[in-house]
Short mmCIF file of all heavy atoms in Angstrom, two decimals:
data_model
loop_
_atom_site.label_atom_id
_atom_site.label_comp_id
_atom_site.label_asym_id
_atom_site.label_seq_id
_atom_site.Cartn_x
_atom_site.Cartn_y
_atom_site.Cartn_z
N ARG A 1 0.84 -1.20 -0.01
CA ARG A 1 -0.02 -0.03 -0.03
C ARG A 1 0.94 1.28 0.00
O ARG A 1 1.34 1.66 1.09
CB ARG A 1 -0.90 0.01 1.20
CG ARG A 1 -1.98 -1.09 1.15
CD ARG A 1 -3.11 -0.82 2.19
NE ARG A 1 -4.18 -1.67 1.97
CZ ARG A 1 -5.42 -1.46 2.43
NH1 ARG A 1 -5.62 -0.39 3.19
NH2 ARG A 1 -6.43 -2.29 2.20
N THR A 2 1.20 1.80 -1.15
CA THR A 2 2.11 2.83 -1.25
C THR A 2 1.46 4.21 -0.89
O THR A 2 2.21 5.12 -0.48
CB THR A 2 2.67 3.00 -2.69
OG1 THR A 2 1.63 3.13 -3.59
CG2 THR A 2 3.47 1.71 -3.09
N VAL A 3 0.17 4.28 -0.99
CA VAL A 3 -0.59 5.45 -0.53
C VAL A 3 -1.89 4.90 0.13
O VAL A 3 -2.59 4.15 -0.53
CB VAL A 3 -0.98 6.45 -1.61
CG1 VAL A 3 -1.77 7.59 -1.08
CG2 VAL A 3 0.29 6.98 -2.30
N ASP A 4 -2.12 5.31 1.33
CA ASP A 4 -3.37 4.90 2.05
C ASP A 4 -3.84 6.06 2.94
O ASP A 4 -3.53 6.04 4.15
CB ASP A 4 -3.18 3.61 2.80
CG ASP A 4 -4.50 3.01 3.33
OD1 ASP A 4 -5.54 3.59 3.06
OD2 ASP A 4 -4.43 1.96 3.97
N LEU A 5 -4.49 7.01 2.39
CA LEU A 5 -4.83 8.23 3.14
C LEU A 5 -6.28 8.45 3.13
O LEU A 5 -6.99 8.27 2.09
CB LEU A 5 -4.11 9.43 2.50
CG LEU A 5 -2.60 9.48 2.47
CD1 LEU A 5 -2.09 10.59 1.68
CD2 LEU A 5 -2.08 9.54 3.90
N ARG A 6 -6.81 8.88 4.30
CA ARG A 6 -8.24 9.11 4.45
C ARG A 6 -8.47 10.44 5.17
O ARG A 6 -7.80 10.68 6.17
CB ARG A 6 -8.87 7.96 5.17
CG ARG A 6 -9.04 6.69 4.36
CD ARG A 6 -9.28 5.43 5.14
NE ARG A 6 -10.25 5.57 6.21
CZ ARG A 6 -10.68 4.54 6.89
NH1 ARG A 6 -10.24 3.37 6.69
NH2 ARG A 6 -11.57 4.73 7.88
N VAL A 7 -9.48 11.15 4.71
CA VAL A 7 -9.99 12.35 5.42
C VAL A 7 -11.45 11.94 5.88
O VAL A 7 -12.25 11.73 5.08
CB VAL A 7 -10.00 13.56 4.53
CG1 VAL A 7 -10.59 14.78 5.27
CG2 VAL A 7 -8.65 13.92 3.97
N GLU A 8 -11.63 11.80 7.15
CA GLU A 8 -12.89 11.26 7.63
C GLU A 8 -13.98 12.30 7.70
O GLU A 8 -15.16 12.04 7.41
CB GLU A 8 -12.69 10.63 8.98
CG GLU A 8 -11.53 9.60 9.12
CD GLU A 8 -11.77 8.35 8.38
OE1 GLU A 8 -12.60 8.32 7.42
OE2 GLU A 8 -11.18 7.37 8.72
N ASP A 9 -13.60 13.55 8.11
CA ASP A 9 -14.65 14.58 8.32
C ASP A 9 -13.97 15.95 8.22
O ASP A 9 -13.23 16.29 9.16
CB ASP A 9 -15.30 14.33 9.71
CG ASP A 9 -16.36 15.41 9.95
OD1 ASP A 9 -17.01 15.85 9.03
OD2 ASP A 9 -16.58 15.75 11.15
N HIS A 10 -14.23 16.65 7.16
CA HIS A 10 -13.52 17.94 6.92
C HIS A 10 -14.40 18.83 5.99
O HIS A 10 -15.03 18.24 5.06
CB HIS A 10 -12.13 17.69 6.30
CG HIS A 10 -11.29 18.86 6.34
ND1 HIS A 10 -11.33 19.88 5.43
CD2 HIS A 10 -10.24 19.18 7.15
CE1 HIS A 10 -10.39 20.77 5.70
NE2 HIS A 10 -9.70 20.40 6.75
N PRO A 11 -14.48 20.12 6.24
CA PRO A 11 -15.30 20.94 5.31
C PRO A 11 -14.79 20.99 3.90
O PRO A 11 -15.55 21.22 3.01
CB PRO A 11 -15.24 22.32 6.00
CG PRO A 11 -14.06 22.32 6.95
CD PRO A 11 -13.94 20.85 7.36
N GLU A 12 -13.50 20.72 3.71
CA GLU A 12 -12.91 20.72 2.34
C GLU A 12 -12.05 19.48 2.22
O GLU A 12 -10.77 19.59 2.24
CB GLU A 12 -12.14 22.01 2.05
CG GLU A 12 -13.01 23.26 2.01
CD GLU A 12 -12.20 24.49 1.62
OE1 GLU A 12 -11.15 24.35 1.04
OE2 GLU A 12 -12.61 25.59 1.94
N PRO A 13 -12.66 18.35 2.08
CA PRO A 13 -11.86 17.09 2.19
C PRO A 13 -10.86 16.91 1.06
O PRO A 13 -9.76 16.34 1.28
CB PRO A 13 -12.92 16.02 2.08
CG PRO A 13 -14.17 16.65 1.50
CD PRO A 13 -14.08 18.02 1.91
N ILE A 14 -11.07 17.40 -0.14
CA ILE A 14 -10.16 17.25 -1.23
C ILE A 14 -8.94 18.20 -1.04
O ILE A 14 -7.79 17.75 -1.22
CB ILE A 14 -10.85 17.47 -2.56
CG1 ILE A 14 -11.88 16.44 -2.84
CG2 ILE A 14 -9.79 17.39 -3.73
CD1 ILE A 14 -12.67 16.63 -4.11
N ALA A 15 -9.17 19.33 -0.55
CA ALA A 15 -8.07 20.23 -0.26
C ALA A 15 -7.22 19.67 0.87
O ALA A 15 -6.00 19.71 0.83
CB ALA A 15 -8.61 21.62 0.14
N GLU A 16 -7.85 19.08 1.91
CA GLU A 16 -7.14 18.41 2.88
C GLU A 16 -6.36 17.21 2.44
O GLU A 16 -5.20 16.96 2.89
CB GLU A 16 -8.06 18.03 4.07
CG GLU A 16 -7.43 17.27 5.21
CD GLU A 16 -6.42 17.96 6.01
OE1 GLU A 16 -6.15 19.23 5.77
OE2 GLU A 16 -5.82 17.40 6.87
N MET A 17 -6.91 16.49 1.50
CA MET A 17 -6.26 15.33 0.93
C MET A 17 -4.98 15.82 0.19
O MET A 17 -3.92 15.19 0.22
CB MET A 17 -7.16 14.59 -0.07
CG MET A 17 -6.55 13.37 -0.75
SD MET A 17 -5.95 12.11 0.42
CE MET A 17 -7.47 11.54 1.04
N ARG A 18 -5.04 16.96 -0.54
CA ARG A 18 -3.81 17.48 -1.18
C ARG A 18 -2.74 17.74 -0.18
O ARG A 18 -1.59 17.43 -0.39
CB ARG A 18 -4.14 18.67 -2.03
CG ARG A 18 -2.88 19.26 -2.73
CD ARG A 18 -3.24 20.28 -3.83
NE ARG A 18 -3.75 19.62 -4.97
CZ ARG A 18 -2.99 18.95 -5.86
NH1 ARG A 18 -1.67 18.83 -5.65
NH2 ARG A 18 -3.55 18.42 -6.92
N ARG A 19 -3.13 18.33 0.96
CA ARG A 19 -2.14 18.62 1.96
C ARG A 19 -1.49 17.30 2.49
O ARG A 19 -0.25 17.18 2.68
CB ARG A 19 -2.76 19.30 3.22
CG ARG A 19 -1.71 19.78 4.24
CD ARG A 19 -2.46 20.38 5.48
NE ARG A 19 -3.16 19.34 6.24
CZ ARG A 19 -2.49 18.57 7.17
NH1 ARG A 19 -1.22 18.74 7.39
NH2 ARG A 19 -3.23 17.67 7.84
N LEU A 20 -2.29 16.23 2.66
CA LEU A 20 -1.79 15.01 3.13
C LEU A 20 -0.86 14.27 2.12
O LEU A 20 0.14 13.62 2.49
CB LEU A 20 -2.94 14.09 3.53
CG LEU A 20 -3.81 14.47 4.68
CD1 LEU A 20 -4.91 13.51 4.93
CD2 LEU A 20 -3.00 14.71 5.98
N ILE A 21 -1.23 14.40 0.82
CA ILE A 21 -0.34 13.86 -0.19
C ILE A 21 0.96 14.46 -0.18
O ILE A 21 2.02 13.77 -0.30
CB ILE A 21 -1.06 14.01 -1.64
CG1 ILE A 21 -2.29 13.11 -1.77
CG2 ILE A 21 -0.04 13.75 -2.73
CD1 ILE A 21 -1.94 11.65 -1.89
N VAL A 22 1.06 15.76 -0.04
CA VAL A 22 2.31 16.48 0.03
C VAL A 22 3.12 16.02 1.30
O VAL A 22 4.28 15.77 1.21
CB VAL A 22 2.15 18.00 0.03
CG1 VAL A 22 3.47 18.72 0.31
CG2 VAL A 22 1.55 18.46 -1.30
N LEU A 23 2.40 15.95 2.41
CA LEU A 23 3.08 15.60 3.68
C LEU A 23 3.58 14.16 3.60
O LEU A 23 4.67 13.82 4.11
CB LEU A 23 2.07 15.72 4.85
CG LEU A 23 2.70 15.54 6.22
CD1 LEU A 23 3.79 16.59 6.48
CD2 LEU A 23 1.60 15.72 7.25
N GLN A 24 2.81 13.19 3.03
CA GLN A 24 3.31 11.86 2.79
C GLN A 24 4.54 11.75 1.97
O GLN A 24 5.54 11.05 2.27
CB GLN A 24 2.22 10.99 2.19
CG GLN A 24 2.67 9.55 2.17
CD GLN A 24 1.85 8.58 1.31
OE1 GLN A 24 1.42 8.98 0.20
NE2 GLN A 24 1.62 7.45 1.80
N ARG A 25 4.57 12.58 0.93
CA ARG A 25 5.83 12.66 0.10
C ARG A 25 7.00 13.13 0.89
O ARG A 25 8.12 12.64 0.77
CB ARG A 25 5.60 13.58 -1.11
CG ARG A 25 6.79 13.69 -2.03
CD ARG A 25 7.29 12.40 -2.52
NE ARG A 25 8.47 12.48 -3.31
CZ ARG A 25 9.32 11.52 -3.54
NH1 ARG A 25 9.24 10.37 -2.94
NH2 ARG A 25 10.41 11.72 -4.34
N ALA A 26 6.78 14.17 1.78
CA ALA A 26 7.84 14.69 2.62
C ALA A 26 8.40 13.62 3.57
O ALA A 26 9.60 13.36 3.70
CB ALA A 26 7.38 15.84 3.42
#
């Protein structure tokens, strides 16, 4: 599982997912 990220409850879940994708890369 090279990427396994979830945003469970957020007013802007896709924007939060972009932040997590960048953080995972870091």
Side-chain angles (χ1 to χ4, degrees):
R1 290 193 169 201
T2 57
V3 178
D4 189 0
L5 297 173
R6 285 163 45 174
V7 178
E8 309 290 23
D9 181 30
H10 195 279
E12 295 185 20
I14 297 176
E16 174 65 2
M17 180 59 69
R18 177 164 290 283
R19 186 187 73 83
L20 295 179
I21 289 288
V22 172
L23 190 59
Q24 184 191 43
R25 179 56 182 155

